[in-house]
C-alpha cells in the first residue's frame, strides 16, 4: 500500500510540475507594448520625430540644434559621456532639472537647468530618445514607464 501511495504522489507531483511550467503567461496590452519597446534596438521613428519637436521647443535655446553650445556655457548633449553613462540620472535631470557642477567630456560646467516636469511621461521618453540617438549618440531606449517610475519616486 505504501508503494502505491508513493507512486500516486510522485505522479501527482510530476503532473503539477509539468502543468505549472507549461501554462502560458498572459500580458496586458500595455505590458506587451512596453516589452516591444525594451527589446527594440532603436526607438521608433515616431518617438524620435516627436522628441525632435519637443527638443526644438524646450532645449534648443541652450543646447542649440547641434547639441553643442558654441559659447561653451551649457554642457554638450552630443557625444556626452555624462549623459550616456547613467540613463536614470539623465531622465531625472530632464524631469527635475540640475544645479551645481557636473563634469562632461572632461570639462566642468557650473550652472542651473530647470526641469521639464510639465511634459508627460511619453514626451520625456520621446525627448530622451531623440537626444540619445542624435549627433552620434548611441544611448539606450527610454520608455514612458521608466519615466513614470522616476517621476513617482520623487
Amino acid at each position: 500500500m505504501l508503494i502505491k501511495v508513493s507512486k500516486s504522489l510522485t505522479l501527482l507531483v510530476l503532473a503539477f510540475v509539468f502543468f505549472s511550467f507549461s501554462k502560458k503567461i498572459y500580458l496586458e496590452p500595455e505590458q506587451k507594448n512596453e516589452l516591444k519597446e525594451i527589446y527594440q534596438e532603436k526607438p521608433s521613428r515616431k518617438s524620435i520625430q516627436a522628441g525632435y519637436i519637443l527638443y526644438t521647443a524646450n532645449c534648443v535655446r541652450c543646447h542649440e540644434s547641434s547639441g553643442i553650445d558654441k559659447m561653451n556655457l551649457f554642457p554638450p548633449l552630443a557625444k556626452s559621456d555624462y549623459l550616456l553613462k547613467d540613463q536614470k540620472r539623465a531622465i531625472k535631470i530632464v524631469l527635475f532639472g540640475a544645479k551645481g557642477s557636473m563634469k562632461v567630456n572632461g570639462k566642468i560646467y557650473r550652472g542651473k537647468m530647470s526641469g521639464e516636469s510639465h511634459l508627460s511621461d511619453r514626451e520625456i521618453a520621446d525627448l530622451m530618445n531623440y537626444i540619445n540617438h542624435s549627433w552620434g549618440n548611441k544611448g539606450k531606449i527610454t520608455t514612458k514607464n521608466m519615466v513614470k517610475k522616476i517621476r513617482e519616486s520623487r
Side-chain angles (χ1 to χ4, degrees):
M1 183 79 174
L2 184 60
I3 294 174
K4 286 185 180 181
V5 170
S6 294
K7 283 183 181 180
S8 298
L9 184 59
T10 302
L11 288 173
L12 183 64
V13 168
L14 287 173
F16 173 77
V17 169
F18 174 77
F19 287 111
S20 294
F21 289 111
S22 65
K23 286 185 180 177
K24 289 185 177 181
I25 298 172
Y26 294 97
L27 299 173
E28 296 295 323
E30 186 175 313
Q31 292 172 312
K32 286 181 183 181
N33 289 336
E34 184 179 2
L35 281 176
K36 282 181 191 176
E37 288 178 356
I38 290 169
Y39 291 137
Q40 288 178 351
E41 290 182 27
K42 295 180 180 179
S44 72
R45 184 180 309 187
K46 286 171 71 173
S47 177
I48 291 176
Q49 288 171 337
Y52 169 77
I53 293 167
L54 292 160
Y55 181 84
T56 301
N58 295 283
C59 311
V60 80
R61 288 182 302 277
C62 299
H63 296 286
E64 300 199 20
S65 61
S66 63
I68 299 173
D69 170 34
K70 291 177 182 76
M71 301 203 47
N72 255 344
L73 298 174
F74 302 100
L77 301 178
K79 298 179 184 170
S80 168
D81 60 353
Y82 188 84
L83 171 74
L84 298 172
K85 184 177 182 180
D86 186 341
Q87 184 179 23
K88 286 183 183 178
R89 176 180 62 196
I91 294 169
K92 284 180 184 178
I93 289 172
V94 172
L95 264 173
F96 307 121
K99 62 182 174 181
S101 63
M102 64 177 69
K103 189 176 183 178
V104 180
N105 298 343
K107 183 177 184 210
I108 300 203
Y109 293 85
R110 290 178 181 83
K112 184 177 180 181
M113 178 185 135
S114 59
E116 304 295 339
S117 60
H118 62 281
L119 297 176
S120 71
D121 297 339
R122 165 66 23 193
E123 290 169 328
I124 296 285
D126 291 341
L127 178 60
M128 290 298 303
N129 285 327
Y130 172 73
I131 293 168
N132 282 337
H133 296 89
S134 296
W135 316 299
N137 290 341
K138 293 181 179 17
K140 296 179 180 176
I141 293 174
T142 303
T143 66
K144 69 179 181 182
N145 285 336
M146 290 175 182
V147 177
K148 181 180 179 182
K149 287 177 187 174
I150 290 170
R151 189 189 300 265
E152 290 173 349
S153 71
R154 187 156 196 210

